[in-house]
Amino acid sequence: LIALSSQCIICLVTCAQVGLLSAESTQSLFGKNTRHGPVFTQEPSDSIFPLSADDNQVFINCKAKGNPPPHYRWKVDGREIDTKSDLNYSLIEGNLLINNPHVINHGGVYQCIATNTFGTIVSREAKVQFAFLQNFSRKSRNTVSVREGQAVVLLCGPPPHYGEIKYSWVFNGQSSFLQQDARRFISQRTGNLYIAKVEASDAGNYTCAVRNIMTNATVFSSPTPVVVRRDAVMGEYEPKIEVQFSDTLHISKGSSVKLECFALGNPVPSISWRRADGNPLPGKIKINHSSGVLEIPYFRPEDAGVYECVAENSRGRNVARGQLIFHNVEHLHWAQTLKDAEMAIGANLQWECKAVGKPRPTYRWLKNGELLSAEGRNHVEGGTLTISRISLLDAGMYQCVSENEHGAIYASAELKVVASPPDFTRRPVKKSTVIQRGGEVVLECRPHASPRAIVLYDGTLRITNISKSDGGRFTCVARNRFGASSSTGMLVVKEPTKIIVTPLSLDATVGQSLVLPCEVSSDSSLSPIFKWFFNGKAIDFSRQEHFEMIGGGFAGDLMVRNIQLKHSGKYVCMVQTEVDTVSAAADLIVRGPPGAPEDLVVTDITEATVQLSWSSGPDNHSPVTMYMVQARTPFSIGWQTVRTVPDSVPGQMMHATVKDLNPWVDYEFRVVAINSVGVGEPSMPSKQIRTKAAVPKVAPVNVSGGGGARGELVIMWEPIPEEQQSGEDFGYVVAFRPLGSNTWIQTVLASPDASRYIYRNDSMAPLSHFEVKVGVYNSLGEGRFSHVVKVVSAGEGEHPSEAPSRVWGRSVSASEIEVFWEAVPPGSSTDEIIGYESEADRVRVVSTTARLSGLKGNTVYQISVSAQNSAGLGPCSHALNITTKKPPPSQSPGNIEWNLTNSKIFLNWEHVKAMENESEVTGYKVVYRQNWHGRTTVLETNKTSVELQISSGEDYLIEIKALTEGGDGTSSGPIRIPKMSSKFQTLSSM
């Protein structure tokens, strides 16, 4: 016992010395004040500092976090810096300040070292350099003598320097630098000045100017005198390329590369650039200094290749070439780094770090800043470190260093070694575990202990096929060499949950409502929770208007209201209790009206027929029984059902011939599919087509005449509508003959809008009787004539002298007005009154009442009436203002539902609400007929439902309209109710 106590005391002292955690301190391992080793938050980086007279301090950053806070040291070129004895260096927190830096003495590779009680880490190495520029030598430069026409090269010979510099030249002490052109070139690699062909004006003093880009300092060389000799003139010679780029250049991605090329020659050579493979130069290329420099910014793989500089004059040409090779450098970066580890004594540790880069990197490992030797319990293989049988001495800071020729990267982590007796404080055995009878349970025992505790039953207790007798208290006991501990929990056994009423797979029709049942039996002490899933997603009952959970306790049925096509799919009822989860599934198929047919095509266009073909749309789980074809023209009101061959297009047929069309009319077509559920959505309209022209088939109607002035025969008729004119150049042929004559007199009227023709003949006797007929023609020929009518020429009396009296009227609907008046008394003219005419709509009648139709709703009309005899019209009556009724609602009855039995159809629909400028709805008109051409029956009602008596075994077509004082509202469109259907259905109007 004494020996054990001594050993324990030694262990605790050792823990304190190396900064490890005791059993108590490990409980705050994850707290905000956790003690840990240093971690860099800022590391030094490669830097170039400009040195000038004003810069006497340089600052290199380094910062680390740790608890306790770390202290810092620095190395330069592997040598430790003594900031106490070396006055050029001082520390500000972790940062290194260099006072009065010297180019040679203080340039080098710097590294920051951070240490606290847990260990030491070293930063990445940072190369620090200083940009500087010394003065040129004051020694005089030799005179350069050159003949006119010859070339010359003036050497700059820059002084010692570091950092990027820029070369310029000054001529004869001028304030501005020498400008480069096709004849003069300054190389930014050497600083030399090249003059391709010397002229007399080039004589003078040349000074090389060098500027350090970083320090902005500029120094000037001694002048170089240039003398141009006049004793002889240099003859012409071919170009000699004096400035050229390397044969091979390796360029990394994203770099900018500049190629210099300049030639000497007489005459002055021109410089051009090209690629050896014949491909055009990249568009981003810049060529400057009179083509002497080619720059390729943002180098990419496609920019690689052989580039050629061509120097050319009248004496010849010369070529310099070099290959640019794309150098794919991948900078070092971590693919896998290290994580701090807390390990028990005697455990095995394996850390692995992986870096990516080109060339492939190597690895080395550091412990507390020193190279870790691979010996004893330490094993190093590349980026993997293994330490077996960890001891307290292994605690500390570890770093994995990955490096290649381009640099190095550092990853660090801390190893804590824990020694403590078993402790259930943070992870006790679960106080109470509830499980179903017949199930399986695993009771875990995971105390905190270092080294790992020896636990009875191997730490985990597994019980299978549980019975009621297995319930009770269970205790786990854990021991290691530092002590023992225990933890107790309860096992409670419950009856299993079963679904006793499961949801059934069903078929439903759009608009129906149904219930999917889900009922369970469970332990009476448990409260089951029901959840429903639709196609794999949980149903959110707060957002789903169609779904409702009904029932309670041990039932959680799903009500689906007003089912839509989108509700087809798999439904799962899931029931959860404290001890188990059970589920059951069912499939719901929703049948609805067909989807819209697709790919409608119009072919084989004739004067009265077209051929249609289409593809079927989705049948929505109910096969298509027939198709209905509709058309519209510029003259129709909306879509109208058209006649086809066959008369009823069966659901298996995807084509039909449309017949009875009007020639020379623009048509659009669409197709509607019908199944046993109802009428589907229409297809997209076809491309507009025009039927072929034909000879007119319709003759004018309402041919009449009479009246006019003496010697006139007035003939009138109703114009043919444009949609029945059948072709271009439409007109009328008017034919007439005296009664009893065999010879027709004909005249042609070329206007399609003509409605009157007056034949004048002064020798014509008053009130002569004529036979009259009116025919039609177009560019393809003449059509039919109207029936022959008798017309009387004008009499010799006077126009009526009086206007009709007591004129009054009333609005009948939004489009009709009825007008009444008293007849003109006898004696108001010498001729008999033969009719009256209303000025509002030019309506001519014989009686003393007229109905004006085709009017606009909610509009004021001014109406007057005049009498007519054979001599013409008399004066107009006083004008009468009458306002038509508001128009009927434009909205048609919607959401029409129907139910069919053997002898009745039950219909109901939504009430149509009129807008402010529309007439109020007073009732509804239901129009129905058997098939497309059966006898039509009309039923009026003031309700939104109706019951129709029908004959069995036939299809029915039904339309519903709103009734108002302004007339009938918009029709719901034809609704086809198939003879075999008995489903409840919701249909939208077409």
Side-chain angles (χ1 to χ4, degrees):
L1 290 175
I2 294 173
L4 285 174
S5 299
S6 302
Q7 185 180 18
C8 185
I9 293 170
I10 294 170
C11 172
L12 292 173
V13 172
T14 306
C15 291
Q17 287 173 340
V18 297
L20 297 176
L21 298 179
S22 67
E24 292 80 16
S25 64
T26 57
Q27 295 178 16
S28 62
L29 183 64
F30 300 102
K32 64 182 288 186
N33 296 319
T34 303
R35 292 163 57 83
H36 63 88
V39 178
F40 282 117
T41 58
Q42 194 172 22
E43 297 185 65
S45 56
D46 293 348
S47 304
I48 301 176
F49 296 101
L51 274 191
S52 61
D54 299 330
D55 297 327
N56 56 5
Q57 286 187 330
V58 168
F59 201 70
I60 310 176
N61 294 320
C62 180
K63 190 174 183 181
K65 63 180 179 180
N67 188 7
H71 59 85
Y72 300 88
R73 294 178 291 124
W74 282 81
K75 286 184 178 181
V76 58
D77 295 332
R79 171 180 55 83
E80 190 144 341
I81 298 173
D82 187 351
T83 55
K84 294 181 180 178
S85 61
D86 192 335
L87 298 181
N88 289 103
Y89 293 104
S90 58
L91 280 178
I92 300 178
E93 294 182 342
N95 307 304
L96 182 66
L97 181 66
I98 308 177
N99 299 291
N100 301 312
H102 186 272
V103 171
I104 297 175
N105 295 345
H106 297 116
V109 177
Y110 285 79
Q111 191 171 36
C112 176
I113 305 162
T115 304
N116 70 4
T117 54
F118 290 95
T120 299
I121 56 173
V122 296
S123 74
R124 61 170 171 254
E125 295 180 339
K127 188 175 183 180
V128 176
Q129 297 169 289
F130 298 93
F132 68 93
L133 176 62
Q134 295 185 7
N135 288 319
F136 277 96
S137 167
R138 294 292 89 199
K139 183 179 178 182
S140 299
R141 299 198 172 193
N142 295 332
T143 300
V144 176
S145 178
V146 61
R147 288 189 294 176
E148 188 174 351
Q150 195 175 3
V152 69
V153 180
L154 302 182
L155 305 181
C156 178
H161 62 275
Y162 185 80
E164 183 183 358
I165 59 174
K166 179 176 175 58
Y167 295 98
S168 305
W169 284 79
V170 177
F171 179 53
N172 284 339
Q174 296 175 357
S175 58
S176 59
F177 292 121
L178 184 70
Q179 295 299 309
Q180 302 179 73
D181 52 29
R183 195 171 62 85
R184 296 176 294 191
F185 179 77
I186 300 171
S187 170
Q188 292 302 319
R189 288 195 298 110
T190 63
N192 297 339
L193 170 62
Y194 298 83
I195 303 178
K197 174 191 170 188
V198 172
E199 298 176 352
S201 60
D202 292 328
N205 290 321
Y206 290 82
T207 302
C208 180
V210 180
R211 180 168 68 91
N212 190 304
I213 301 297
M214 291 195 69
T215 66
N216 209 28
T218 303
V219 294
F220 297 89
S221 70
S222 300
T224 300
V226 173
V227 176
V228 180
R229 291 162 44 196
R230 296 297 188 91
D231 54 342
V233 178
M234 182 69 177
E236 293 184 352
Y237 63 96
E238 67 180 11
K240 177 189 177 187
I241 298 180
E242 191 71 20
V243 180
Q244 55 184 288
F245 46 98
S246 302
D247 292 343
T248 304
L249 287 172
H250 293 269
I251 315 296
S252 59
K253 179 180 179 181
S255 300
S256 178
V257 59
K258 290 184 179 180
L259 306 180
E260 291 186 344
C261 182
F262 192 74
L264 312 178
N266 187 359
V268 175
S270 64
I271 304 293
S272 61
W273 295 84
R274 67 188 184 193
R275 291 182 67 152
D277 57 10
N279 289 331
L281 293 173
K284 62 185 176 181
I285 275 184
K286 304 173 186 175
I287 298 175
N288 47 32
H289 298 322
S290 299
S291 302
V293 178
L294 178 140
E295 182 180 357
I296 308 175
Y298 314 114
F299 198 82
R300 294 290 184 267
E302 60 268 20
D303 299 328
V306 177
Y307 286 76
E308 293 182 336
C309 164
V310 182
E312 193 168 10
N313 65 11
S314 58
R315 305 297 296 182
R317 63 187 300 195
N318 213 333
V319 178
R321 63 175 55 87
Q323 184 173 15
L324 304 188
I325 298 173
F326 179 75
H327 186 41
N328 188 10
V329 176
E330 186 173 10
H331 296 289
L332 272 176
H333 62 277
W334 289 117
Q336 180 179 336
T337 185
L338 304 178
K339 291 184 178 179
D340 293 341
E342 179 185 336
M343 306 291 290
I345 289 177
N348 296 328
L349 168 73
Q350 180 171 304
W351 262 325
E352 184 176 7
C353 61
K354 287 183 182 178
V356 178
K358 289 186 179 180
R360 179 180 294 179
T362 59
Y363 301 89
R364 54 190 170 93
W365 286 84
L366 307 177
K367 178 186 177 186
N368 292 328
E370 302 295 332
L371 186 66
L372 183 66
S373 60
E375 59 185 17
R377 294 178 295 104
N378 299 336
H379 178 69
V380 176
E381 185 174 345
T384 302
L385 168 65
T386 303
I387 305 176
S388 57
R389 301 184 308 283
I390 287 175
S391 71
L392 295 171
L393 296 177
D394 293 318
M397 300 301 299
Y398 289 78
Q399 287 178 284
C400 175
V401 185
S402 175
E403 53 199 337
N404 63 12
E405 62 187 52
H406 299 295
I409 53 176
Y410 291 71
S412 63
E414 180 181 354
L415 172 61
K416 288 188 173 82
V417 181
V418 183
S420 65
D423 181 11
F424 283 97
T425 304
R426 282 192 295 156
R427 290 185 295 204
V429 172
K430 192 174 180 182
K431 292 295 182 187
S432 178
T433 301
V434 182
I435 192 69
Q436 62 175 329
R437 179 177 55 79
E440 179 179 300
V441 71
V442 173
L443 301 178
E444 289 190 339
C445 183
R446 297 169 61 201
H448 184 276
S450 182
R452 180 175 299 188
I454 299 170
V455 184
L456 297 182
Y457 306 113
D458 197 23
T460 300
L461 177 63
R462 180 186 300 272
I463 308 174
T464 60
N465 195 20
I466 289 174
S467 64
K468 282 282 188 179
S469 62
D470 291 322
R473 294 166 59 89
F474 289 80
T475 299
C476 175
V477 181
R479 295 187 181 90
N480 71 2
R481 54 179 157 155
F482 296 108
S485 185
S486 65
S487 181
T488 299
M490 288 291 296
L491 179 63
V492 180
V493 181
K494 301 281 188 180
E495 287 297 318
T497 304
K498 294 179 181 179
I499 297 181
I500 56 175
V501 180
T502 61
L504 300 175
S505 295
L506 297 171
D507 285 8
T509 303
V510 167
Q512 283 185 324
S513 298
L514 54 77
V515 174
L516 295 174
C518 188
E519 186 177 339
V520 298
S521 65
S522 184
D523 194 290
S524 59
S525 64
L526 298 177
S527 298
I529 298 173
F530 290 84
K531 291 183 180 179
W532 281 89
F533 295 82
F534 172 46
N535 288 338
K537 292 185 178 179
I539 297 176
D540 183 350
F541 291 97
S542 65
R543 295 187 177 184
Q544 295 280 359
E545 60 177 329
H546 293 278
F547 297 125
E548 180 185 351
M549 182 109 70
I550 59 177
F554 293 93
D557 301 343
L558 175 66
M559 165 75 81
V560 189
R561 301 183 187 278
N562 190 15
I563 291 173
Q564 302 300 308
L565 289 170
K566 64 183 179 181
H567 296 139
S568 287
K570 181 177 287 294
Y571 290 79
V572 176
C573 173
M574 178 181 289
V575 187
Q576 292 177 310
T577 68
E578 186 182 348
V579 299
D580 56 1
T581 299
V582 291
S583 64
D587 292 314
L588 176 61
I589 296 176
V590 181
R591 308 186 189 279
E598 301 170 351
D599 308 322
L600 179 60
V601 177
V602 185
T603 57
D604 301 339
I605 302 166
T606 71
E607 60 194 45
T609 66
V610 297
Q611 181 75 31
L612 298 185
S613 60
W614 59 88
S615 301
S616 62
D619 66 5
N620 294 331
H621 306 295
S622 180
V624 174
T625 55
M626 68 171 288
Y627 288 98
M628 181 168 57
V629 179
Q630 298 177 332
R632 70 178 172 188
T633 72
F635 316 106
S636 66
I637 300 174
W639 292 91
Q640 305 292 331
T641 302
V642 292
R643 295 171 64 85
T644 58
V645 178
D647 183 55
S648 178
V649 182
Q652 301 78 24
M653 184 179 287
M654 305 295 171
H655 59 86
T657 300
V658 182
K659 62 180 181 177
D660 298 343
L661 302 176
N662 289 323
W664 199 244
V665 172
D666 292 329
Y667 280 93
E668 290 177 279
F669 299 94
R670 71 181 188 183
V671 180
V672 181
I674 301 169
N675 63 12
S676 62
V677 180
V679 179
E681 291 295 315
S683 69
M684 291 292 291
S686 69
K687 184 178 179 181
Q688 191 179 69
I689 61 97
R690 174 170 289 188
T691 50
K692 292 186 177 180
V695 173
K697 296 180 180 178
V698 179
V701 295
N702 294 336
V703 178
S704 63
R710 180 180 173 82
E712 289 183 346
L713 173 64
V714 179
I715 303 171
M716 294 175 289
W717 61 93
E718 192 174 307
I720 299 296
E722 183 182 348
E723 63 181 309
Q724 294 179 331
Q725 293 174 5
S726 300
E728 296 179 294
D729 304 327
F730 182 84
Y732 297 92
V733 180
V734 180
F736 56 94
R737 64 185 178 188
L739 192 62
S741 171
N742 292 326
T743 304
W744 289 96
I745 302 170
Q746 291 196 99
T747 186
V748 174
L749 300 180
S751 170
D753 299 322
S755 63
R756 174 188 292 230
Y757 172 69
I758 300 176
Y759 170 68
R760 292 182 177 86
N761 187 343
D762 292 338
S763 62
M764 184 175 12
L767 300 179
S768 297
H769 290 262
F770 285 84
E771 288 183 312
V772 174
K773 62 180 179 179
V774 182
V776 291
Y777 73 92
N778 62 17
S779 59
L780 294 184
E782 291 190 16
R784 295 161 44 198
F785 275 92
S786 68
H787 297 298
V788 176
V789 298
K790 291 182 175 61
V791 176
V792 180
S793 67
E796 43 185 10
E798 297 178 353
H799 298 285
S801 59
E802 291 186 32
S805 60
R806 299 177 64 85
V807 178
W808 68 282
R810 65 185 180 90
S811 173
V812 179
S813 69
S815 60
E816 291 183 314
I817 291 175
E818 204 165 28
V819 185
F820 307 90
W821 61 90
E822 285 191 0
V824 173
S828 65
S829 67
T830 56
D831 283 353
E832 180 186 355
I833 301 296
I834 61 173
Y836 296 89
E837 186 167 297
S838 168
E839 285 296 320
D841 199 29
R842 306 298 297 181
V843 173
R844 182 178 296 170
V845 295
V846 176
S847 62
T848 57
T849 180
R851 183 178 286 257
L852 311 182
S853 59
L855 308 180
K856 292 183 180 178
N858 202 24
T859 303
V860 179
Y861 284 88
Q862 198 172 64
I863 301 170
S864 60
V865 183
S866 58
Q868 181 188 23
N869 61 15
S870 60
L873 291 170
C876 292
S877 67
H878 291 298
L880 177 71
N881 289 340
I882 298 180
T883 304
T884 53
K885 306 282 189 184
K886 290 182 180 180
S890 57
Q891 179 190 349
S892 60
N895 285 339
I896 301 170
E897 297 178 347
W898 56 266
N899 195 13
L900 175 66
T901 67
N902 287 335
S903 60
K904 291 182 182 180
I905 297 175
F906 299 93
L907 283 168
N908 60 74
W909 56 90
E910 280 188 358
H911 175 65
V912 176
K913 187 176 181 181
M915 300 177 67
E916 188 176 344
N917 61 344
E918 296 176 337
S919 293
E920 288 295 326
V921 176
T922 58
Y924 296 92
K925 180 187 290 185
V926 180
V927 182
Y928 62 100
R929 64 185 184 275
Q930 284 185 350
N931 222 314
W932 297 105
H933 311 297
R935 184 173 61 85
T936 298
T937 304
V938 178
L939 182 66
E940 294 188 3
T941 177
N942 57 4
K943 300 179 181 179
T944 56
S945 62
V946 73
E947 179 181 307
L948 305 179
Q949 294 285 340
I950 63 168
S951 303
S952 59
E954 289 291 340
D955 292 349
Y956 268 81
L957 291 171
I958 297 176
E959 293 182 66
I960 306 174
K961 305 174 183 178
L963 286 175
T964 71
E965 66 172 9
D968 292 352
T970 304
S971 168
S972 64
I975 302 162
R976 179 180 177 276
I977 299 181
K979 56 190 175 186
M980 296 303 293
S981 174
S982 60
K983 300 283 186 181
F984 180 87
Q985 178 61 38
T986 300
L987 298 171
S988 59
S989 64
M990 295 166 49

